[in-house]
């Protein structure tokens, strides 16, 4: 009743690649939402090992920290991308492997529930292609796309957050939540 000043949510700045940094953040966590990722295709193509270290080894640092230190984390949600489905580039491949690291962790750490969410371009998110499209349209075009056959899934920020909340509230260990989103 008198928890008005109790801190229920804490944000941390650290380095997902650094095991000690991850341990520091997880030692008192109940729920972990891992949105740390290199998520721009060109960056991952030009610097693939950087993508491996962040997207795969970072996820492994979370799993390892919970396992080795017996941290009381109830749920881990790994935020992924639609590009993890049948990946054709480094970003998609590393994010697909990130999902596998989290899902496999359910076997090693049965007291922690690992689930994933997977969606496409989140409107108003950092690193989204949408600001580029807005800029191109504002300046008279053309809107550049990889190919006219490309399908993009655009998700409002609120829908992305709702997907994470649904995964926390109702997800079963090993499940991947994929919202139904219209293709553009």
């Amino acid at each position: 009743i008198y928890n008005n000043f109790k801190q229920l949510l804490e944000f941390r700045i650290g380095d997902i690649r650094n095991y000690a940094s991850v341990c520091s953040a997880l030692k008192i966590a109940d729920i972990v939402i891992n949105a740390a990722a290199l998520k721009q295709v060109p960056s991952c193509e030009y610097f693939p090992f950087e993508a491996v270290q962040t997207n795969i080894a970072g996820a492994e640092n979370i799993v390892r920290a919970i396992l080795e230190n017996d941290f009381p984390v109830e749920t881990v949600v790994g935020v992924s991308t639609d590009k993890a489905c049948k990946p054709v580039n480094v970003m998609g491949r590393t994010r697909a492997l990130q999902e596998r690291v989290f899902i496999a962790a359910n076997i090693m750490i049965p007291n922690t529930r690992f689930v994933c969410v997977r969606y496409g371009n989140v409107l108003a998110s950092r690193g989204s292609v949408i600001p580029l499209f807005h800029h191109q349209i504002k300046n008279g075009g053309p809107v550049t796309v990889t190919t006219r056959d490309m399908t993009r899934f655009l998700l409002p920020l609120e829908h992305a957050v709702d997907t994470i909340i649904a995964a926390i509230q109702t997800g079963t260990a090993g499940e991947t939540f994929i919202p139904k989103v219209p293709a553009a």
Side-chain angles (χ1 to χ4, degrees):
I1 250 177
Y2 297 103
N3 287 333
N4 291 345
F5 298 104
K6 184 176 180 182
Q7 187 173 354
L8 299 176
L9 184 63
E10 182 175 321
F11 292 91
R12 291 286 188 109
I13 295 176
D15 187 347
I16 194 72
R17 301 170 173 210
N18 182 287
Y19 179 73
S21 182
V22 171
C23 287
S24 174
L26 298 186
K27 64 184 172 187
I28 59 168
D30 298 317
I31 298 171
V32 175
I33 301 168
N34 179 41
L38 290 180
K39 62 180 194 166
Q40 293 179 322
V41 172
S43 298
C44 294
E45 289 299 310
Y46 291 122
F47 305 100
F49 189 62
E50 299 299 321
V52 167
Q53 290 181 92
T54 300
N55 298 350
I56 302 170
E60 182 61 26
N61 277 339
I62 291 172
V63 172
R64 184 176 152 217
I66 295 168
L67 179 65
E68 291 180 359
N69 298 287
D70 199 30
F71 288 147
V73 177
E74 297 168 14
T75 302
V76 174
V77 178
V79 178
S80 190
T81 174
D82 58 345
K83 291 167 189 65
C85 179
K86 297 183 182 178
V88 297
N89 55 44
V90 173
M91 194 273 279
R93 288 180 183 125
T94 58
R95 300 297 291 278
L97 287 169
Q98 169 194 284
E99 289 180 9
R100 298 283 43 100
V101 167
F102 283 137
I103 299 309
N106 284 294
I107 296 168
M108 297 180 298
I109 313 171
N111 292 332
T112 300
R113 178 177 51 132
F114 292 84
V115 296
C116 292
V117 297
R118 182 194 293 169
Y119 37 68
N121 291 287
V122 177
L123 300 172
S125 70
R126 200 172 102 206
S128 172
V129 72
I130 303 307
L132 171 64
F133 290 167
H134 282 181
H135 176 74
Q136 291 172 338
I137 291 167
K138 182 179 171 184
N139 291 308
V143 175
T144 56
V145 292
T146 309
T147 173
R148 291 201 179 277
D149 298 332
M150 180 76 142
T151 301
R152 294 205 180 264
F153 299 96
L154 306 175
L155 188 68
L157 183 59
E158 297 80 18
H159 198 162
V161 172
D162 289 344
T163 303
I164 292 170
I165 292 169
I168 292 168
Q169 291 176 336
T170 66
T172 59
E175 192 169 7
T176 299
F177 278 63
I178 305 170
K180 290 184 180 178
V181 179

